[in-house]
Amino acid sequence: MGLQTINNGTFDFDLSAEKVRISFDKVKAMFAEIYEELPLDTLLAGNAGLFLRVKATEDGYELAAIPGGGDLLASNNLNEFAGDPSQAKNNLGLGSAADAELSDFATSAQGGLADSAIQSIQQGDGVSIDITDPTNPEISFNGVTVIGLSVNALSKTLTLEVSGGSNISLDMSNYLKLLINGLDTIKGTGNTNPSTHENGDLAYGWEGENFIAFKQESGVRRYALNQGLL
C-alpha cells in the first residue's frame, strides 16, 4: 500500500482539507499494514535475545537469533579471562606468535617482511661480524693480514702471503699467459727460465707485422708458420 498522505489544508477551517473520517481511515489502514508486517504483540513474548532483520527475499521482516560463535559472545569476551591470558589468546584466534618475544621478529631496519630480513650469519675462526647496522654488516678477518703477493709465471700460480694464517695459492692457468719477448710461450719439459726461450719451448704470436710460430731447438727457431704481411 505504501504511505498515504493526509491533506489537512493550509489554514484553519480550510475547506480543501480532508474530513476527519477520511484522514483516520488512512491512519487506520497504514497501522494495519505495519502491524501485519510487525506483529508487535508477539515480538516480546518468548523472543528474548532475538533481533529484527529484513528477510532474504526482501519482502518483509523476521526475527532471528545472533549466530553462534565469534568474539562477540560473552564466553569469548576478554574481560571474562583477564586472569587467563592463554584462554584469551585462544578466543582471539592467535597462534604461537602471541607468545614470542619482540626480538624473534624482523625490525623495520631489517626489512618490511620477515622473509626479507637479514638471516643469521655464522662466524668462523678468525672471522668476526658486526651487525650493529643490520642493513650494512661488516665482516673482518681477525689477525689475518695480507703482507705479500707473488706470481709464478711458470706454474701460473698467484700466491697471497698472509700473517696469522696459511698462505693462499690460486691456480690462474686459465687467466695468465707466459710472455717472452711479447710471444705466448709454452715451456718445454724441465725448462725453468721465464725470461728467455730455451730449447724445447714453443712460442707463437705477432712479431712486428708477421704472425709466427716456432719451436726453439739448439738455440735456433724452427718456424712452423710465417704468413708474412697482412
Side-chain angles (χ1 to χ4, degrees):
M1 175 180 60
L3 177 65
Q4 295 191 59
T5 302
I6 297 174
N7 179 12
N8 62 351
T10 59
F11 54 88
D12 292 344
F13 306 109
D14 186 350
L15 296 178
S16 66
E18 293 180 334
K19 295 181 179 181
V20 174
R21 179 177 294 278
I22 295 175
S23 298
F24 272 93
D25 281 342
K26 289 183 178 181
V27 172
K28 177 180 178 182
M30 287 190 289
F31 267 114
E33 182 178 21
I34 293 174
Y35 195 86
E36 182 179 354
E37 295 292 335
L38 302 175
L40 300 178
D41 58 345
T42 60
L43 284 178
L44 299 178
N47 293 316
L50 300 183
F51 69 97
L52 190 66
R53 69 180 181 186
V54 177
K55 294 181 179 179
T57 54
E58 298 183 357
D59 59 355
Y61 304 90
E62 63 183 356
L63 292 174
I66 297 176
D71 295 337
L72 295 179
L73 295 181
S75 59
N76 286 343
N77 192 295
L78 293 181
N79 290 332
E80 299 290 327
F81 302 99
D84 189 351
S86 178
Q87 184 60 52
K89 181 191 74 173
N90 291 334
N91 290 344
L92 290 175
L94 300 177
S96 58
D99 297 326
E101 297 295 332
L102 289 177
S103 58
D104 293 337
F105 302 96
T107 66
S108 58
Q110 294 173 317
L113 299 175
D115 58 7
S116 67
I118 296 176
Q119 304 302 309
S120 60
I121 305 175
Q122 298 298 322
Q123 299 185 144
D125 294 337
V127 179
S128 64
I129 303 172
D130 182 358
I131 56 173
T132 303
D133 178 1
T135 63
N136 186 31
E138 297 182 2
I139 302 175
S140 58
F141 298 89
N142 299 333
V144 179
T145 304
V146 177
I147 59 176
L149 183 151
S150 61
V151 177
N152 188 317
L154 296 177
S155 64
K156 299 179 180 179
T157 301
L158 174 66
T159 300
L160 298 177
E161 183 182 357
V162 299
S163 65
S166 301
N167 291 349
I168 301 173
S169 295
L170 302 175
D171 181 5
M172 304 294 290
S173 58
N174 291 330
Y175 309 98
L176 297 179
K177 295 181 179 180
L178 175 59
L179 295 179
I180 299 178
N181 298 328
L183 300 175
D184 288 335
T185 301
I186 302 174
K187 299 299 289 184
T189 303
N191 293 345
T192 59
N193 192 333
S195 60
T196 187
H197 289 118
E198 302 174 276
N199 291 332
D201 288 355
L202 301 176
Y204 61 92
W206 289 93
E207 192 173 68
E209 295 183 342
N210 295 322
F211 183 85
I212 62 174
F214 65 87
K215 181 177 182 181
Q216 187 82 9
E217 289 187 353
S218 301
V220 178
R221 295 180 178 182
R222 296 187 58 186
Y223 291 95
L225 177 65
N226 188 333
Q227 292 182 330
L229 296 175
L230 292 177

